[in-house]
Amino acid sequence: MRLRNVKGSRETIAVNEFVVHDEETAKGHWHEIFGNNQPIHIEIGMGKGQFIMELADQNPDINYIGIEKFSSVLVRAIEKQEIRQLPNLKFIRMDAEYIENVFQQGEVDYIYLNFSDPWPKDRHAKRRLTSHQFLNRYVNILSDKGGVTFKTDNKALFDFSLAELEVAKWQLINATHDLHHSEYNEGNIMTEYEKRFSDMGNPICRMVCKP
Ligand code: SAM
């Protein structure tokens, strides 16, 4: 993602009610933070939040947390949430590498990864959000029934991710190299990048998997 610095984004985030600050102190307390016992689903690398906001709107009985590394991007999601005021949606600004410091075992019921950065150089493979290193981190936060849905238009990243499932000893539930023309497309919520890439004619790959 090309990043433009958004002036004042850090300051906006620092005082925003929808952002959970000091996220490591929230570990083990997420249900208290939401004030209910609803399941918790997260999107890692949320970008500007279009997808997770739609999910939160459609599923008021699930709590959602959007995780984004960059303030300049997160601030765009905050602006939308200021208008929509979805009670079941919160945000964290963090690098997902430290996700185990923020959620305890079983606290997360589902993880969405959408159009994650491909990190094309081999030496950066462990930074990919579907690397076995990341899958091992997800095992430590997911509930027993938990799983991951991953979408991308990047076939090399998708094939790498399928191979990493085997390395991490995860199960593939289903996969398609052309989501929009597959049986799995019903109810699909498009992300910002998904719309952009499918408008360019790129097929969208999607996998559903679990530990
Ligand atoms: N998911 C959105 C979509 O599909 O429209 C945005 C996709 S964008 C290509 C990837 C996003 O993931 C960027 O906003 C980037 O800052 C964020 N990101 C990448 N690595 C991350 C990490 N380790 N932790 C948190 N966010 C990350």
Side-chain angles (χ1 to χ4, degrees), residues 31-99:
H31 286 120
E32 292 159 47
I33 288 169
F34 279 102
N36 60 47
N37 259 336
Q38 299 186 156
I40 294 175
H41 294 192
I42 67 175
E43 183 187 8
I44 301 178
M46 159 194 72
K48 296 176 187 167
Q50 182 169 307
F51 170 85
I52 200 165
M53 255 172 229
E54 201 47 49
L55 268 183
D57 194 33
Q58 287 184 14
N59 302 289
D61 51 349
I62 296 174
N63 296 323
Y64 291 91
I65 302 169
I67 295 173
E68 171 52 50
K69 187 161 59 168
F70 290 113
S71 304
S72 300
V73 184
L74 172 56
V75 78
R76 297 303 181 211
I78 289 173
E79 286 164 2
K80 292 185 204 137
Q81 171 67 335
E82 287 287 354
I83 295 164
R84 295 181 78 163
Q85 302 269 328
L86 294 161
N88 58 333
L89 175 62
K90 301 214 177 285
F91 303 119
I92 308 172
R93 191 192 64 75
M94 67 174 287
D95 187 324
E97 186 178 345
Y98 306 106
I99 196 107

Coordinates of all heavy atoms in Angstrom, one line a residue, residues 31-99:
H31 N -13.6 -9.3 26.5 CA -15.1 -9.3 26.7 C -15.6 -8.2 27.7 O -16.6 -7.6 27.4 CB -15.6 -10.7 27.2 CG -15.5 -11.7 26.1 ND1 -14.7 -12.8 26.2 CD2 -16.1 -11.8 24.9 CE1 -14.8 -13.6 25.1 NE2 -15.7 -12.9 24.3
E32 N -14.7 -7.8 28.6 CA -15.1 -6.7 29.5 C -15.0 -5.4 28.7 O -15.9 -4.5 28.9 CB -14.0 -6.6 30.7 CG -14.1 -7.7 31.7 CD -12.7 -7.8 32.4 OE1 -12.2 -6.8 32.9 OE2 -12.2 -8.9 32.5
I33 N -14.1 -5.3 27.8 CA -13.9 -4.1 27.0 C -15.2 -3.9 26.2 O -15.7 -2.7 26.1 CB -12.6 -4.1 26.2 CG1 -11.4 -3.9 27.1 CG2 -12.6 -3.0 25.1 CD1 -10.1 -4.2 26.5
F34 N -15.7 -4.9 25.6 CA -16.9 -4.8 24.8 C -18.2 -4.8 25.6 O -19.2 -4.4 25.2 CB -17.0 -6.0 23.8 CG -16.2 -5.8 22.5 CD1 -14.9 -6.4 22.4 CD2 -16.6 -4.9 21.5 CE1 -14.2 -6.2 21.2 CE2 -15.8 -4.7 20.4 CZ -14.6 -5.4 20.2
G35 N -18.0 -5.3 26.9 CA -19.2 -5.2 27.8 C -20.2 -6.4 27.5 O -21.4 -6.3 27.9
N36 N -19.7 -7.4 26.9 CA -20.6 -8.6 26.6 C -19.7 -9.8 26.3 O -18.5 -9.7 26.3 CB -21.5 -8.3 25.4 CG -20.8 -8.0 24.1 OD1 -19.9 -8.7 23.8 ND2 -21.2 -6.9 23.5
N37 N -20.4 -10.9 26.1 CA -19.7 -12.2 25.9 C -19.7 -12.7 24.5 O -19.5 -13.9 24.2 CB -20.2 -13.3 26.8 CG -19.3 -13.4 28.1 OD1 -18.1 -13.1 28.0 ND2 -19.9 -13.9 29.1
Q38 N -20.0 -11.8 23.6 CA -20.1 -12.2 22.2 C -18.7 -12.7 21.6 O -17.7 -12.2 22.1 CB -20.6 -11.0 21.3 CG -21.9 -10.5 21.8 CD -22.5 -9.4 20.9 OE1 -23.7 -9.2 20.8 NE2 -21.6 -8.7 20.2
P39 N -18.7 -13.5 20.6 CA -17.5 -14.0 20.0 C -16.7 -12.8 19.4 O -17.3 -11.7 19.1 CB -17.9 -14.9 18.8 CG -19.4 -15.1 19.0 CD -19.9 -14.1 20.0
I40 N -15.4 -13.0 19.4 CA -14.5 -11.9 18.9 C -13.8 -12.3 17.6 O -13.2 -13.3 17.5 CB -13.5 -11.5 19.9 CG1 -14.2 -10.9 21.1 CG2 -12.4 -10.6 19.4 CD1 -13.3 -10.6 22.3
H41 N -14.1 -11.5 16.5 CA -13.4 -11.8 15.2 C -12.5 -10.6 14.9 O -12.8 -9.5 15.2 CB -14.4 -11.9 14.1 CG -15.3 -13.1 14.2 ND1 -16.2 -13.5 13.2 CD2 -15.5 -14.0 15.2 CE1 -16.8 -14.6 13.6 NE2 -16.5 -14.9 14.8
I42 N -11.3 -10.9 14.4 CA -10.4 -9.8 14.1 C -10.0 -9.8 12.6 O -10.0 -10.9 11.9 CB -9.1 -9.9 15.0 CG1 -8.3 -11.1 14.6 CG2 -9.5 -9.9 16.4 CD1 -6.9 -11.2 15.4
E43 N -9.7 -8.6 12.1 CA -9.1 -8.6 10.7 C -7.7 -7.9 10.9 O -7.5 -6.9 11.5 CB -9.9 -7.7 9.8 CG -9.3 -7.7 8.4 CD -9.9 -6.7 7.4 OE1 -10.7 -5.9 7.8 OE2 -9.5 -6.8 6.2
I44 N -6.7 -8.7 10.4 CA -5.3 -8.2 10.5 C -4.9 -7.5 9.2 O -5.0 -8.2 8.2 CB -4.4 -9.3 10.9 CG1 -4.8 -10.0 12.2 CG2 -2.9 -8.8 11.0 CD1 -3.9 -11.2 12.6
G45 N -4.4 -6.3 9.3 CA -4.1 -5.5 8.1 C -5.4 -5.0 7.5 O -5.6 -5.2 6.3
M46 N -6.2 -4.3 8.3 CA -7.5 -3.9 8.0 C -7.6 -2.8 6.9 O -8.6 -2.7 6.2 CB -8.2 -3.4 9.2 CG -9.4 -2.5 9.1 SD -9.8 -1.7 10.6 CE -8.4 -0.5 10.8
G47 N -6.5 -2.1 6.8 CA -6.5 -0.9 5.9 C -7.5 0.1 6.3 O -7.6 0.4 7.5
K48 N -8.3 0.6 5.4 CA -9.2 1.7 5.7 C -10.6 1.2 6.3 O -11.5 2.0 6.5 CB -9.5 2.6 4.5 CG -8.2 3.3 4.1 CD -8.4 4.1 2.8 CE -7.1 4.6 2.3 NZ -7.2 5.1 0.9
G49 N -10.7 -0.1 6.5 CA -11.8 -0.6 7.3 C -13.1 -0.9 6.6 O -14.1 -1.3 7.3
Q50 N -13.2 -0.8 5.3 CA -14.4 -1.0 4.6 C -15.0 -2.4 4.9 O -16.2 -2.5 5.2 CB -14.2 -0.9 3.1 CG -15.4 -1.0 2.3 CD -15.0 -0.6 0.8 OE1 -14.5 0.5 0.6 NE2 -15.3 -1.4 -0.1
F51 N -14.2 -3.5 4.8 CA -14.7 -4.8 5.0 C -15.2 -5.1 6.4 O -16.3 -5.6 6.6 CB -13.5 -5.8 4.6 CG -13.7 -7.2 5.0 CD1 -14.4 -8.1 4.1 CD2 -13.2 -7.8 6.1 CE1 -14.6 -9.4 4.4 CE2 -13.4 -9.1 6.4 CZ -14.1 -9.9 5.5
I52 N -14.4 -4.7 7.4 CA -14.8 -5.1 8.8 C -16.0 -4.3 9.2 O -16.8 -4.7 10.0 CB -13.5 -4.9 9.7 CG1 -13.8 -5.7 11.0 CG2 -13.2 -3.5 10.0 CD1 -12.6 -6.0 11.9
M53 N -16.1 -3.1 8.7 CA -17.3 -2.3 9.1 C -18.6 -2.9 8.5 O -19.6 -2.9 9.2 CB -17.1 -0.9 8.5 CG -16.8 0.1 9.6 SD -16.3 1.7 8.9 CE -14.8 1.9 9.8
E54 N -18.5 -3.4 7.3 CA -19.6 -4.1 6.7 C -20.0 -5.3 7.5 O -21.2 -5.6 7.8 CB -19.3 -4.4 5.3 CG -20.5 -4.6 4.4 CD -21.6 -3.5 4.5 OE1 -21.2 -2.3 4.5 OE2 -22.8 -3.9 4.7
L55 N -19.0 -6.1 7.9 CA -19.2 -7.3 8.7 C -19.8 -6.9 10.0 O -20.8 -7.6 10.5 CB -17.9 -8.0 9.0 CG -17.3 -9.1 8.1 CD1 -16.0 -9.6 8.7 CD2 -18.4 -10.2 7.9
A56 N -19.3 -5.9 10.7 CA -19.8 -5.5 12.0 C -21.3 -5.0 11.9 O -22.1 -5.3 12.8 CB -18.9 -4.4 12.6
D57 N -21.6 -4.4 10.8 CA -22.9 -3.9 10.6 C -23.9 -5.1 10.4 O -25.0 -5.1 10.9 CB -23.0 -3.0 9.4 CG -24.2 -2.2 9.3 OD1 -24.8 -1.8 10.3 OD2 -24.7 -1.9 8.2
Q58 N -23.4 -6.1 9.6 CA -24.3 -7.2 9.3 C -24.4 -8.2 10.5 O -25.4 -9.0 10.5 CB -23.7 -8.0 8.1 CG -23.9 -7.3 6.8 CD -23.4 -8.2 5.6 OE1 -23.1 -9.4 5.8 NE2 -23.2 -7.5 4.5
N59 N -23.5 -8.2 11.4 CA -23.4 -9.2 12.5 C -23.3 -8.5 13.9 O -22.2 -8.6 14.5 CB -22.3 -10.2 12.3 CG -22.3 -10.9 10.9 OD1 -23.2 -11.7 10.7 ND2 -21.4 -10.5 10.0
P60 N -24.4 -7.9 14.3 CA -24.3 -7.2 15.6 C -24.0 -8.1 16.8 O -23.6 -7.6 17.9 CB -25.6 -6.5 15.7 CG -26.5 -7.2 14.8 CD -25.7 -7.7 13.7
D61 N -24.2 -9.4 16.6 CA -23.9 -10.4 17.7 C -22.5 -10.9 17.7 O -22.2 -11.8 18.5 CB -24.9 -11.5 17.6 CG -25.0 -12.2 16.3 OD1 -24.4 -11.6 15.3 OD2 -25.6 -13.2 16.1
I62 N -21.7 -10.3 16.9 CA -20.2 -10.6 17.0 C -19.5 -9.3 17.2 O -19.8 -8.3 16.7 CB -19.8 -11.3 15.6 CG1 -20.5 -12.6 15.4 CG2 -18.3 -11.4 15.6 CD1 -20.3 -13.2 14.1
N63 N -18.4 -9.4 18.0 CA -17.5 -8.2 18.2 C -16.4 -8.3 17.2 O -15.8 -9.4 17.0 CB -17.0 -8.2 19.6 CG -18.1 -8.1 20.7 OD1 -19.0 -7.4 20.5 ND2 -17.9 -8.8 21.8
Y64 N -16.0 -7.2 16.7 CA -14.9 -7.1 15.7 C -13.8 -6.2 16.1 O -14.1 -5.1 16.7 CB -15.5 -6.6 14.3 CG -16.4 -7.7 13.7 CD1 -17.8 -7.6 13.9 CD2 -15.9 -8.7 12.9 CE1 -18.6 -8.6 13.3 CE2 -16.7 -9.6 12.3 CZ -18.1 -9.5 12.5 OH -18.9 -10.5 12.0
I65 N -12.6 -6.6 15.8 CA -11.4 -5.7 16.1 C -10.6 -5.6 14.8 O -10.2 -6.7 14.3 CB -10.6 -6.3 17.2 CG1 -11.4 -6.5 18.5 CG2 -9.4 -5.3 17.5 CD1 -10.7 -7.3 19.6
G66 N -10.4 -4.4 14.3 CA -9.6 -4.2 13.2 C -8.2 -3.8 13.6 O -8.0 -2.9 14.4
I67 N -7.2 -4.5 13.1 CA -5.8 -4.3 13.4 C -5.1 -3.7 12.2 O -5.2 -4.3 11.1 CB -5.2 -5.6 13.9 CG1 -5.9 -6.0 15.2 CG2 -3.7 -5.4 14.1 CD1 -5.4 -7.4 15.7
E68 N -4.4 -2.6 12.4 CA -3.7 -1.9 11.3 C -2.4 -1.3 11.9 O -2.4 -0.7 13.0 CB -4.6 -0.8 10.7 CG -4.0 0.1 9.7 CD -3.2 -0.6 8.6 OE1 -3.8 -1.5 7.9 OE2 -2.1 -0.3 8.3
K69 N -1.4 -1.5 11.1 CA 0.0 -1.1 11.5 C 0.2 0.5 11.4 O 0.8 1.0 12.2 CB 1.0 -1.8 10.6 CG 2.4 -1.6 11.0 CD 3.3 -2.7 10.4 CE 3.3 -2.8 8.9 NZ 4.3 -3.6 8.3
F70 N -0.4 1.1 10.4 CA -0.1 2.5 10.1 C -1.2 3.5 10.5 O -2.4 3.3 10.1 CB 0.3 2.7 8.7 CG 1.6 2.0 8.3 CD1 1.6 0.9 7.4 CD2 2.8 2.4 8.8 CE1 2.8 0.3 7.1 CE2 3.9 1.8 8.5 CZ 4.0 0.7 7.6
S71 N -0.8 4.5 11.3 CA -1.7 5.5 11.7 C -2.4 6.2 10.5 O -3.6 6.5 10.6 CB -1.0 6.6 12.5 OG -0.3 6.1 13.5
S72 N -1.7 6.5 9.5 CA -2.2 7.2 8.3 C -3.4 6.4 7.6 O -4.2 7.0 7.0 CB -1.1 7.5 7.3 OG -0.1 8.2 7.8
V73 N -3.4 5.1 7.8 CA -4.4 4.3 7.2 C -5.5 4.1 8.2 O -6.7 4.3 7.9 CB -3.8 2.9 6.8 CG1 -4.9 2.0 6.1 CG2 -2.6 3.0 5.9
L74 N -5.2 3.8 9.5 CA -6.2 3.6 10.5 C -7.1 4.8 10.7 O -8.3 4.6 10.9 CB -5.5 3.3 11.8 CG -6.3 3.2 13.1 CD1 -7.4 2.2 12.9 CD2 -5.5 2.8 14.3
V75 N -6.5 6.0 10.5 CA -7.3 7.2 10.7 C -8.5 7.3 9.8 O -9.6 7.8 10.1 CB -6.4 8.4 10.7 CG1 -6.1 8.8 9.2 CG2 -7.0 9.6 11.4
R76 N -8.4 6.7 8.6 CA -9.5 6.7 7.6 C -10.6 5.8 8.1 O -11.8 6.1 7.9 CB -9.0 6.2 6.3 CG -7.9 7.1 5.6 CD -8.4 8.5 5.5 NE -7.5 9.4 4.9 CZ -7.4 10.7 5.2 NH1 -8.2 11.3 6.0 NH2 -6.5 11.4 4.6
A77 N -10.3 4.6 8.7 CA -11.3 3.8 9.3 C -12.0 4.5 10.5 O -13.2 4.4 10.6 CB -10.7 2.5 9.8
I78 N -11.2 5.2 11.3 CA -11.8 5.9 12.4 C -12.8 6.9 11.9 O -13.9 7.1 12.5 CB -10.6 6.6 13.2 CG1 -9.9 5.5 14.0 CG2 -11.2 7.6 14.2 CD1 -8.6 6.0 14.7
E79 N -12.4 7.6 10.9 CA -13.3 8.7 10.4 C -14.7 8.1 10.0 O -15.7 8.6 10.3 CB -12.7 9.4 9.1 CG -11.6 10.3 9.5 CD -10.7 10.7 8.3 OE1 -11.0 10.3 7.1 OE2 -9.7 11.4 8.5
K80 N -14.6 6.9 9.4 CA -15.9 6.2 9.0 C -16.7 5.7 10.2 O -17.9 5.9 10.3 CB -15.6 5.0 8.1 CG -15.1 5.4 6.7 CD -14.9 4.1 5.9 CE -13.9 4.3 4.8 NZ -13.0 3.2 4.6
Q81 N -15.9 5.2 11.2 CA -16.6 4.7 12.4 C -17.2 5.8 13.2 O -18.2 5.7 13.9 CB -15.6 3.9 13.2 CG -16.0 3.4 14.6 CD -17.1 2.4 14.7 OE1 -18.0 2.3 13.7 NE2 -17.2 1.7 15.8
E82 N -16.6 7.0 13.2 CA -17.1 8.2 13.9 C -18.5 8.5 13.3 O -19.4 8.9 14.1 CB -16.3 9.4 13.6 CG -14.9 9.4 14.4 CD -15.1 9.7 15.8 OE1 -16.2 10.0 16.3 OE2 -14.1 9.6 16.6
I83 N -18.8 8.2 12.1 CA -20.1 8.4 11.5 C -21.0 7.3 11.8 O -22.1 7.5 12.2 CB -20.0 8.6 10.0 CG1 -19.2 9.9 9.7 CG2 -21.3 8.7 9.3 CD1 -18.6 10.0 8.2
R84 N -20.5 6.0 11.7 CA -21.4 4.9 11.8 C -21.6 4.5 13.2 O -22.7 3.9 13.6 CB -20.8 3.7 11.0 CG -20.8 4.0 9.5 CD -20.3 2.8 8.7 NE -21.3 1.8 8.5 CZ -21.2 0.8 7.6 NH1 -20.2 0.8 6.8 NH2 -22.1 -0.1 7.5
Q85 N -20.6 4.7 14.1 CA -20.8 4.4 15.6 C -21.2 3.0 15.8 O -22.1 2.7 16.6 CB -21.8 5.4 16.2 CG -21.4 6.8 16.1 CD -20.6 7.4 17.2 OE1 -20.8 7.0 18.3 NE2 -19.7 8.3 16.9
L86 N -20.6 2.0 15.1 CA -20.9 0.6 15.4 C -20.4 0.2 16.7 O -19.2 0.3 17.0 CB -20.3 -0.3 14.3 CG -20.8 0.0 12.8 CD1 -19.8 -0.5 11.8 CD2 -22.2 -0.6 12.7
P87 N -21.4 -0.3 17.6 CA -20.9 -0.6 19.0 C -20.1 -1.8 19.1 O -19.4 -2.0 20.1 CB -22.3 -0.8 19.7 CG -23.2 -1.2 18.6 CD -22.8 -0.5 17.4
N88 N -20.1 -2.7 18.1 CA -19.3 -3.9 18.1 C -18.0 -3.9 17.4 O -17.6 -4.9 16.9 CB -20.2 -5.1 17.6 CG -20.8 -4.8 16.2 OD1 -20.9 -3.7 15.8 ND2 -21.0 -5.9 15.5
L89 N -17.5 -2.7 17.2 CA -16.2 -2.6 16.4 C -15.2 -1.7 17.1 O -15.5 -0.5 17.5 CB -16.6 -2.0 15.0 CG -15.4 -1.6 14.1 CD1 -14.6 -2.9 13.8 CD2 -15.8 -0.9 12.9
K90 N -14.0 -2.2 17.3 CA -12.9 -1.5 17.9 C -11.7 -1.6 17.0 O -11.6 -2.5 16.2 CB -12.6 -1.9 19.3 CG -13.8 -1.8 20.2 CD -13.5 -1.5 21.6 CE -14.7 -1.3 22.5 NZ -15.4 0.0 22.2
F91 N -10.7 -0.8 17.2 CA -9.5 -0.8 16.4 C -8.2 -0.9 17.3 O -8.3 -0.4 18.5 CB -9.3 0.4 15.6 CG -10.5 0.7 14.7 CD1 -11.3 1.9 14.8 CD2 -10.8 -0.2 13.7 CE1 -12.3 2.1 14.0 CE2 -11.9 0.1 12.8 CZ -12.7 1.2 13.0
I92 N -7.2 -1.5 16.8 CA -5.9 -1.4 17.5 C -4.9 -1.0 16.4 O -4.9 -1.5 15.3 CB -5.4 -2.8 18.0 CG1 -6.5 -3.4 18.9 CG2 -4.1 -2.7 18.8 CD1 -6.1 -4.9 19.3
R93 N -4.0 -0.1 16.8 CA -2.9 0.2 15.9 C -1.6 -0.5 16.4 O -1.1 -0.3 17.5 CB -2.5 1.7 15.9 CG -1.6 2.1 14.7 CD -1.0 3.5 14.8 NE -0.2 3.6 16.0 CZ 1.1 3.2 16.2 NH1 1.6 2.4 15.2 NH2 1.7 3.4 17.3
M94 N -1.2 -1.5 15.7 CA -0.1 -2.3 16.1 C 0.4 -3.1 14.9 O -0.3 -3.3 13.9 CB -0.5 -3.3 17.2 CG -1.5 -4.4 16.8 SD -1.8 -5.6 18.0 CE -0.3 -6.5 18.0
D95 N 1.6 -3.7 15.1 CA 2.2 -4.7 14.2 C 1.7 -6.0 14.7 O 2.0 -6.4 15.8 CB 3.7 -4.6 14.2 CG 4.3 -5.4 13.1 OD1 3.8 -6.6 12.8 OD2 5.3 -5.0 12.5
A96 N 1.1 -6.8 13.8 CA 0.5 -8.1 14.2 C 1.6 -9.1 14.7 O 1.2 -10.1 15.2 CB -0.3 -8.7 13.1
E97 N 2.8 -8.8 14.4 CA 3.9 -9.7 14.9 C 3.7 -9.9 16.4 O 4.1 -11.0 16.9 CB 5.3 -9.0 14.6 CG 6.4 -9.9 14.9 CD 7.8 -9.3 14.6 OE1 7.8 -8.3 13.9 OE2 8.8 -9.8 15.1
Y98 N 3.2 -8.9 17.1 CA 3.1 -9.0 18.6 C 1.7 -9.4 19.1 O 1.3 -9.2 20.2 CB 3.5 -7.7 19.2 CG 4.9 -7.3 18.7 CD1 5.0 -6.3 17.8 CD2 6.0 -8.0 19.1 CE1 6.3 -6.0 17.3 CE2 7.3 -7.7 18.6 CZ 7.4 -6.7 17.7 OH 8.6 -6.4 17.2
I99 N 0.9 -10.1 18.2 CA -0.5 -10.4 18.5 C -0.7 -11.2 19.7 O -1.7 -11.1 20.4 CB -1.1 -11.1 17.2 CG1 -2.6 -11.0 17.3 CG2 -0.7 -12.5 17.0 CD1 -3.2 -10.1 16.3

